[in-house]
Amino acid sequence: MSAIRGARERARIEVTAAIKDEARRQLAAEGAAKLSLRAVARELGMVSSALYRYFPSRDELLTALIVDAYDSVGEAAETAHRTAAPDGSAPAAHLARWVAVACAVRDWALAHPHEYALIYGSPVPGYTAPQATIAPASRVGLVLVAVVEDAHREAGLALPPLTEELRPEAERLAAELAPGLPPAVAVPIVAAWAQLFGLVSFEIFGQFDRVVEARAAFFRQSVEELGRSVGLLGTAGPARQGGRAWR
């Protein structure tokens, strides 16, 4: 019986993967708003009732694709964090890791533009993302926080300025998102996270067409500046205009 169950599980995994692959092809051709379970079933030679045993609704299939996309870009960011700048804890190494993570996100988006559009493009009409998407969607942001936490622990940060008006919000963000970091760092981390995906989105969705030509170099310099905005120290060491070294 265990052999039979194993074969059934393998078959289910294979069919699930085939359904997702066909759904991704439809996303590329038609967009998420036109994703249809019946069309997926037809292309796979399945009856609709059989497909519903795997994904009871279009929204459940969309959720699976969204989770896969978030996990994929999150894995790319995590791999870059693990493998970049392996030469120690010098301040420049942390900035290099930050840039490597950001470039990994961009590379993933360029290689998977339709999946990027699914998770960072226009909302799909009639679809509300469930709780199950939150943890996968957080993976890139958590990597960015981890880079800054490593720098804080090992090399110090150039503490960004923080207005009194924003201090309560900064304290809330730090407590919820980055409890190991000073509140002054929480606000620029969230801003940098948003700006990172803004840069990628402008490239993926064509806003940089006829504007930015040297896009890789432009992106790299931009994300280096984002890294410095959160307090990461570059080759100049702890001296940083507008901030002070903080450990």
Side-chain angles (χ1 to χ4, degrees), residues 131-149:
Q131 194 81 8
T133 62
I134 293 177
S138 303
R139 289 176 68 170
V140 171
L142 291 175
V143 174
L144 297 176
V145 170
V147 173
V148 181
E149 287 178 336

Side-chain angles (χ1 to χ4, degrees), residues 178-203:
L181 293 172
V185 179
V187 170
I189 285 180
V190 174
W193 168 70
Q195 290 173 75
L196 165 61
F197 284 103
L199 286 165
V200 175
S201 292
F202 263 49
E203 184 169 3

Side-chain angles (χ1 to χ4, degrees), residues 101-111 196 200 203-204 215-217 219:
V101 168
C103 289
V105 170
R106 174 179 179 265
D107 290 345
W108 182 90
L110 290 172
L196 165 61
V200 175
E203 184 169 3
I204 294 297
R215 294 182 182 175
F219 181 85

Side-chain angles (χ1 to χ4, degrees), residues 156-174:
L157 297 171
L159 194 65
L162 176 63
T163 65
E164 287 304 313
E165 179 184 18
L166 200 52
R167 184 171 296 280
E169 178 69 2
E171 291 173 349
R172 183 190 67 80
L173 288 171

